[in-house]
Amino acid sequence: MSSKSKVTRINQAICEKNLDRLCALGQTKEGFVNDGLRRLVWPLLLHGPTTATAKPISRTKHADEDQLALDVHRSSLPVSRNQGKRHRQREKSDISVVATQVLRANPDLHYYQGFHDVCATLASVLGSDPPFPVSTDAMEKDLEKVTANLDLLYPLIRQQDPKVAAFLLESGTPPYFALSWVITWFSHDIDRPASIVRLFDLFISSHPFMPLYLSAAVVMHHRQELLDSECDYPTLHTLLTHSVKGAVSEEVIDHAVTMIHQIPPSLLQDIASGKITTQSPVSRLTSYVRFLGPRLSRVLRSRSSHIFGSSVLLLLLAWALRPSLLSFLVTHPTGSSST
Amino acid sequence: MESLTGFDHIVKLLLVGNSAVGKSCLLLRFCDDAFTPSFITTIGIDFKVRTLEVDGKVVKVQLWDTAGQERFRTITRSYYRGAHGVLLVYDLTDKKSFEDLRGWADSVSMHAPSDAIGLIVGNKADEVGDRKVGAGDATALAEILGMKAVETSAKSASGVEGAFTMLVRDILIQREAKGESSGVKSRGARAADIQLAEADAEAKRMSSGCC
């Protein structure tokens, strides 16, 4: 598909508010192609078609606002490079507004260093208005969900490339080289703004586990370099943390998209379920719902086109998490939870 | 596994301290002799390496740079294991970063090997006009914690090479005293002269109950 015909198809899907089509287009080569289209598509996918009314913003200051302001002020952000001082100041102001709105709309969430990178990318395309319903698992009270997500990385790689997975495990390298990839959607690590927004096209269009799948694809893309390296932790950690600096190629993105269809997140969790011991079934269920957020209906609609409703939704989730629920029922016969 | 090819010693150092005290800038200066005025946010953990010659010995220094923000500590804590030395960094223009050093020292005593050597580093020594922590305060704290204290400026490079070299030298002296050779094999009993003031650490543990 040429860029021109893709632009036409994106415009058509925007007119029809066809979110499934837009998601499919965001996952293929070049994503949403240019920032003009992104300005139209991202709000649609972030808010959903019917979410016209944004969550009211509190006037009460969020506890983490001072830290946020400090980080934004002193940051050198990828979107700011090669641009004038005045432009940079305006961008920093936009980033502060975006991040502050998210925090004030969600007083129970926490700011983490790296979230300003995410907001920087959003603000670079959308400006500071309207507010964005964006939150990540790294904004929970601790990073338990993030580390549980990262614990799925090696099981995922093992499904596709057992030799690379075994090599990483043998070296004792924990999957923390991918921490900033996952919690900042690669925006902390990649230098090229064009590559970052392309990845945001992918993530906004995909299951919330997509950053994990892309991380796996990046690792496998560097297969030969890894296997040729010394099998020790510092060497491999350094190699991998620097591996995405320039950009992530369309080939790697395509691999991640293929992988998430071959091994869907629910299947991956089943495969690795023996390893996820830190999360109780209840918190996993909550996490799953929250992860999917406003895109849940679309994800489910694409799998079951004629059935809707929250009971069906819960049944599907229960099915996806059935091993955990079974173990939950066995270990919590009264149904109480300690989460 | 680690190889000693070309080196007499391998030394693993960890940098800890509050966010924005200049840990990553110290590493950038020490490893690449460079400085950036921009804030470098470390998310999780970063790693650098430099070869150093100390008293005729070629030492491969592995440096682990940790995120300062509280919410990354569950991850960074796992990196204390296996550290031979820890630089506890504060910003001498930011009093809170100094006051929080005791908490960092508690973390070190709890999670690092018992014979790991700590060094208190007051960074941003070039900003003399904004100084909020006197050198005497740092020295007094260092004595309580059984460590040394130095001041550095990653910006001007002042004191940076000396701080790292001093810590590496102390680690090598400790190894020699214990009859160890390279730092690759496991280390034995703690050295009494460098251990953290345990009673103090214990009291902190009781009061804070975390980290």
Side-chain angles (χ1 to χ4, degrees), chain A residues 150-181:
Chain A
L150 285 173
D151 283 345
L152 298 170
L153 184 61
Y154 291 170
L156 177 57
I157 294 171
R158 191 185 298 122
Q159 294 305 306
Q160 298 245 315
D161 196 335
K163 194 173 176 183
V164 166
F167 189 74
L168 285 165
L169 283 169
E170 188 192 337
S171 70
T173 308
Y176 296 145
F177 57 83
L179 176 68
S180 63
W181 299 354

Coordinates of all heavy atoms in Angstrom, one line a residue, chain A residues 150-181:
Chain A
L150 N 6.9 -7.4 32.8 CA 8.3 -7.7 32.2 C 8.7 -9.2 32.5 O 9.5 -9.7 31.7 CB 9.3 -6.8 32.9 CG 9.4 -5.3 32.5 CD1 10.3 -4.5 33.4 CD2 9.8 -5.2 31.0
D151 N 8.1 -9.8 33.5 CA 8.4 -11.2 33.7 C 7.9 -12.1 32.6 O 8.2 -13.2 32.5 CB 7.7 -11.7 35.0 CG 8.5 -11.2 36.2 OD1 9.7 -10.8 36.1 OD2 8.0 -11.2 37.4
L152 N 7.0 -11.5 31.7 CA 6.5 -12.3 30.6 C 7.4 -12.2 29.4 O 7.2 -12.9 28.4 CB 5.1 -11.7 30.2 CG 4.0 -11.9 31.2 CD1 2.8 -11.1 30.8 CD2 3.6 -13.3 31.4
L153 N 8.5 -11.3 29.5 CA 9.3 -11.1 28.3 C 10.1 -12.4 27.9 O 10.0 -12.7 26.7 CB 10.3 -9.9 28.6 CG 11.2 -9.5 27.4 CD1 10.3 -9.1 26.2 CD2 12.1 -8.4 27.8
Y154 N 10.7 -13.0 28.8 CA 11.5 -14.2 28.4 C 10.7 -15.4 28.0 O 11.0 -16.1 27.0 CB 12.5 -14.5 29.5 CG 13.6 -13.5 29.7 CD1 14.5 -13.6 30.8 CD2 13.8 -12.5 28.8 CE1 15.5 -12.7 31.0 CE2 14.9 -11.6 29.0 CZ 15.7 -11.7 30.1 OH 16.7 -10.8 30.2
P155 N 9.5 -15.6 28.7 CA 8.6 -16.7 28.2 C 8.2 -16.4 26.8 O 8.0 -17.3 26.0 CB 7.5 -16.6 29.2 CG 8.1 -16.1 30.5 CD 9.1 -15.1 30.0
L156 N 7.9 -15.1 26.5 CA 7.5 -14.8 25.1 C 8.6 -15.0 24.1 O 8.4 -15.7 23.1 CB 7.1 -13.3 25.1 CG 6.7 -12.7 23.7 CD1 5.5 -13.5 23.1 CD2 6.3 -11.3 23.8
I157 N 9.8 -14.6 24.4 CA 11.0 -14.8 23.5 C 11.2 -16.3 23.4 O 11.5 -16.8 22.3 CB 12.2 -14.1 24.1 CG1 12.0 -12.6 24.0 CG2 13.5 -14.5 23.3 CD1 13.1 -11.8 24.7
R158 N 11.0 -17.1 24.5 CA 11.3 -18.5 24.4 C 10.4 -19.2 23.4 O 10.8 -20.2 22.8 CB 11.1 -19.1 25.8 CG 11.6 -20.6 25.9 CD 11.3 -21.3 27.2 NE 12.0 -20.6 28.3 CZ 11.3 -20.1 29.3 NH1 10.0 -20.2 29.4 NH2 12.0 -19.5 30.3
Q159 N 9.2 -18.7 23.3 CA 8.2 -19.3 22.3 C 8.7 -19.2 20.9 O 8.4 -20.0 20.0 CB 6.8 -18.6 22.4 CG 6.1 -18.8 23.7 CD 5.9 -20.3 24.0 OE1 5.4 -21.0 23.2 NE2 6.4 -20.7 25.2
Q160 N 9.5 -18.1 20.6 CA 9.9 -17.9 19.2 C 11.4 -18.2 19.0 O 11.8 -18.5 17.9 CB 9.7 -16.4 18.9 CG 8.2 -16.0 19.0 CD 7.7 -15.6 17.7 OE1 8.3 -14.8 16.9 NE2 6.5 -16.0 17.3
D161 N 12.2 -18.0 20.0 CA 13.6 -18.2 19.9 C 14.2 -18.7 21.2 O 14.8 -18.0 22.0 CB 14.3 -16.9 19.5 CG 15.7 -17.1 18.9 OD1 16.3 -18.1 19.3 OD2 16.2 -16.2 18.2
P162 N 14.1 -20.0 21.4 CA 14.5 -20.6 22.7 C 16.0 -20.4 23.0 O 16.4 -20.2 24.1 CB 14.2 -22.1 22.6 CG 13.3 -22.2 21.4 CD 13.5 -21.0 20.5
K163 N 16.8 -20.3 21.9 CA 18.2 -20.2 22.1 C 18.6 -18.8 22.7 O 19.4 -18.7 23.6 CB 19.0 -20.3 20.8 CG 20.4 -20.5 20.9 CD 21.1 -20.9 19.6 CE 22.6 -21.0 19.8 NZ 23.3 -21.2 18.5
V164 N 17.9 -17.7 22.2 CA 18.2 -16.4 22.7 C 17.7 -16.3 24.2 O 18.3 -15.7 25.0 CB 17.5 -15.3 21.8 CG1 17.4 -14.0 22.5 CG2 18.2 -15.2 20.5
A165 N 16.5 -16.9 24.4 CA 15.9 -16.8 25.8 C 16.9 -17.5 26.8 O 17.2 -17.0 27.9 CB 14.5 -17.5 25.8
A166 N 17.4 -18.7 26.3 CA 18.3 -19.5 27.2 C 19.6 -18.7 27.5 O 20.1 -18.7 28.6 CB 18.6 -20.8 26.6
F167 N 20.0 -18.0 26.4 CA 21.3 -17.2 26.5 C 21.1 -16.1 27.5 O 22.0 -15.9 28.4 CB 21.6 -16.7 25.1 CG 23.0 -16.0 25.0 CD1 24.1 -16.8 25.0 CD2 23.1 -14.7 25.0 CE1 25.4 -16.2 24.9 CE2 24.4 -14.1 24.9 CZ 25.5 -14.9 24.8
L168 N 20.0 -15.4 27.4 CA 19.8 -14.3 28.4 C 19.6 -14.8 29.8 O 20.2 -14.2 30.7 CB 18.5 -13.5 28.0 CG 18.6 -12.6 26.7 CD1 17.3 -12.2 26.2 CD2 19.4 -11.4 27.1
L169 N 18.9 -15.9 30.0 CA 18.8 -16.5 31.3 C 20.1 -16.9 31.9 O 20.4 -16.7 33.0 CB 17.8 -17.6 31.3 CG 16.3 -17.2 31.2 CD1 15.4 -18.4 30.9 CD2 15.8 -16.6 32.5
E170 N 20.9 -17.6 31.0 CA 22.2 -18.1 31.5 C 23.1 -16.9 31.9 O 23.9 -17.0 32.9 CB 22.9 -18.8 30.3 CG 24.2 -19.6 30.7 CD 25.0 -20.0 29.5 OE1 24.4 -20.2 28.4 OE2 26.2 -20.2 29.7
S171 N 23.0 -15.8 31.3 CA 23.8 -14.6 31.6 C 23.4 -14.0 33.0 O 24.1 -13.2 33.5 CB 23.8 -13.6 30.5 OG 22.5 -13.0 30.5
G172 N 22.1 -14.3 33.4 CA 21.6 -13.7 34.6 C 21.1 -12.3 34.4 O 20.9 -11.5 35.4
T173 N 20.8 -11.9 33.1 CA 20.3 -10.6 32.8 C 18.8 -10.5 33.1 O 18.1 -11.2 32.5 CB 20.6 -10.2 31.3 OG1 21.9 -10.5 31.0 CG2 20.2 -8.8 31.1
P174 N 18.4 -9.7 34.1 CA 17.0 -9.5 34.3 C 16.4 -8.7 33.2 O 17.1 -8.0 32.5 CB 16.9 -8.8 35.6 CG 18.2 -8.1 35.8 CD 19.2 -8.8 35.0
P175 N 15.1 -8.7 33.0 CA 14.5 -8.0 31.8 C 14.4 -6.5 32.0 O 13.6 -5.8 31.3 CB 13.1 -8.6 31.7 CG 12.8 -9.1 33.0 CD 14.1 -9.5 33.7
Y176 N 15.2 -5.9 33.0 CA 15.0 -4.5 33.2 C 15.6 -3.6 32.2 O 15.4 -2.4 32.2 CB 15.7 -4.2 34.6 CG 15.0 -4.8 35.8 CD1 15.7 -5.3 36.9 CD2 13.6 -5.1 35.7 CE1 15.1 -5.9 37.9 CE2 13.0 -5.7 36.8 CZ 13.7 -6.1 37.9 OH 13.1 -6.7 38.9
F177 N 16.3 -4.1 31.2 CA 16.8 -3.3 30.1 C 15.5 -2.8 29.3 O 15.6 -1.8 28.6 CB 17.7 -4.1 29.1 CG 17.1 -5.4 28.6 CD1 16.2 -5.4 27.5 CD2 17.3 -6.6 29.2 CE1 15.6 -6.6 27.1 CE2 16.8 -7.8 28.8 CZ 15.9 -7.8 27.7
A178 N 14.4 -3.5 29.5 CA 13.2 -3.2 28.7 C 12.3 -2.3 29.6 O 11.2 -1.9 29.1 CB 12.5 -4.4 28.2
L179 N 12.7 -2.0 30.8 CA 11.8 -1.2 31.7 C 11.4 0.1 31.1 O 10.2 0.4 31.0 CB 12.5 -1.0 33.1 CG 11.8 -0.1 34.1 CD1 10.5 -0.8 34.6 CD2 12.7 0.2 35.3
S180 N 12.3 0.9 30.7 CA 12.0 2.2 30.1 C 11.2 2.1 28.8 O 10.4 2.9 28.4 CB 13.2 3.1 30.0 OG 14.1 2.6 29.1
W181 N 11.5 1.0 28.0 CA 10.8 0.7 26.8 C 9.3 0.6 27.1 O 8.5 1.2 26.4 CB 11.3 -0.5 26.1 CG 12.7 -0.6 25.7 CD1 13.6 0.5 25.8 CD2 13.4 -1.7 25.2 NE1 14.9 0.0 25.3 CE2 14.8 -1.3 25.0 CE3 13.1 -3.0 24.9 CZ2 15.8 -2.1 24.4 CZ3 14.1 -3.9 24.3 CH2 15.4 -3.4 24.1

